Amino acid sequence: MDTLEAIRKRRSVRSFKPDPIPEEDLRKILEAASWAPSAGNCQPLELVVVKDPGVKEEVMEAAFGQSFVGEAPVVVVVCAEVERTTRRYGRRGELFYVQDTAAATQNLLLAATALGYGTCWVGAFSEEEVAKALRLPRGVRPLAIVPIGKSAESPEAPPRLPLREIVHRDRY
Ligand SMILES: Cc1cc2nc3c(=O)[nH]c(=O)nc-3n(C[C@H](O)[C@H](O)[C@H](O)COP(=O)(O)O)c2cc1C
């Protein structure tokens, strides 16, 4: 699948089959995340791969009970080790590590799509509870939860604003 096709085919999937993900595919997905750009190449990215049903359940509860999180065979929690970026860029670094991990998350979603898996970017969760469930050290912030698995649904694409409403030529 080429890049543009993966971009168009990716959907937020909220129902998963229990089939496990082969390690080789998982590795490709995680590697795609690691190849995202980061400000100054500081690479604040840290990835927690959750397969244990008990830990998954805790993460699902921390995501306000979004049950599909617990259904997926693998849940990746995308985190940032904040200081890797802020010690170099100060306050601007607070923005950069969020952008860096967002880029990594999108790479992860697109790689999973290209390999035939469904994903959903989950941002509604208690940071404190996720950090507790995963035993994250101080200074490591969870920024996205991504359940990954074979899709058990084929959602319609939600509409997008037309380009004529969001693209500005030369000046806003
Ligand atoms: C930062 C962010 C946070 C999101 N949080 C959630 C979430 O907590 N639960 C959920 O079901 N979907 C979540 N989504 C998925 C969006 O609802 C979804 O991307 C949007 O409706 C467009 O649908 P599509 O992804 O199929 O194109 C989130 C997406 C982003 C980018």
Side-chain angles (χ1 to χ4, degrees):
M1 194 183 293
D2 77 13
T3 310
L4 292 179
E5 197 184 348
I7 288 169
R8 284 303 298 270
K9 281 206 168 145
R10 184 210 56 80
R11 285 277 69 73
S12 290
V13 166
R14 299 180 179 89
S15 180
F16 296 96
K17 296 179 185 167
D19 318 27
I21 301 180
E23 274 305 312
E24 201 189 316
D25 284 355
L26 187 55
R27 191 184 162 76
K28 286 181 187 161
I29 292 168
L30 300 173
E31 265 192 2
S34 78
W35 279 107
S38 67
N41 202 28
C42 289
Q43 303 176 68
L45 185 67
E46 295 283 338
L47 300 166
V48 182
V49 179
V50 181
K51 291 186 190 174
D52 178 87
V55 182
K56 233 192 291 170
E57 169 104 8
E58 285 180 50
V59 172
M60 184 268 284
E61 276 163 17
F64 311 117
Q66 297 186 75
S67 56
F68 61 90
V69 172
E71 254 181 42
V74 175
V75 175
V76 176
V77 182
V78 181
C79 306
E81 207 219 274
V82 169
E83 270 210 2
R84 244 179 251 161
T85 299
T86 56
R87 72 174 157 245
R88 176 139 156 210
Y89 292 111
R91 281 213 60 197
R92 192 74 182 158
E94 302 279 344
L95 171 66
F96 288 160
Y97 76 73
V98 174
Q99 292 177 322
D100 296 342
T101 48
T105 304
Q106 181 70 355
N107 269 16
L108 191 153
L109 303 185
L110 293 178
T113 304
L115 292 170
Y117 298 100
T119 55
C120 186
W121 184 324
V122 172
F125 58 85
S126 154
E127 272 194 44
E128 208 176 28
E129 281 179 33
V130 170
K132 204 165 133 194
L134 302 180
R135 314 280 191 266
L136 297 183
R138 198 190 298 272
V140 174
R141 205 177 156 193
L143 290 156
I145 296 173
V146 184
I148 310 173
K150 288 284 174 195
S151 177
E153 62 171 11
S154 306
E156 288 291 309
R160 293 305 197 252
L161 293 171
L163 288 187
R164 73 186 132 74
E165 284 185 27
I166 59 167
V167 176
H168 310 272
R169 308 277 178 188
D170 297 325
R171 294 190 202 274
Y172 192 96

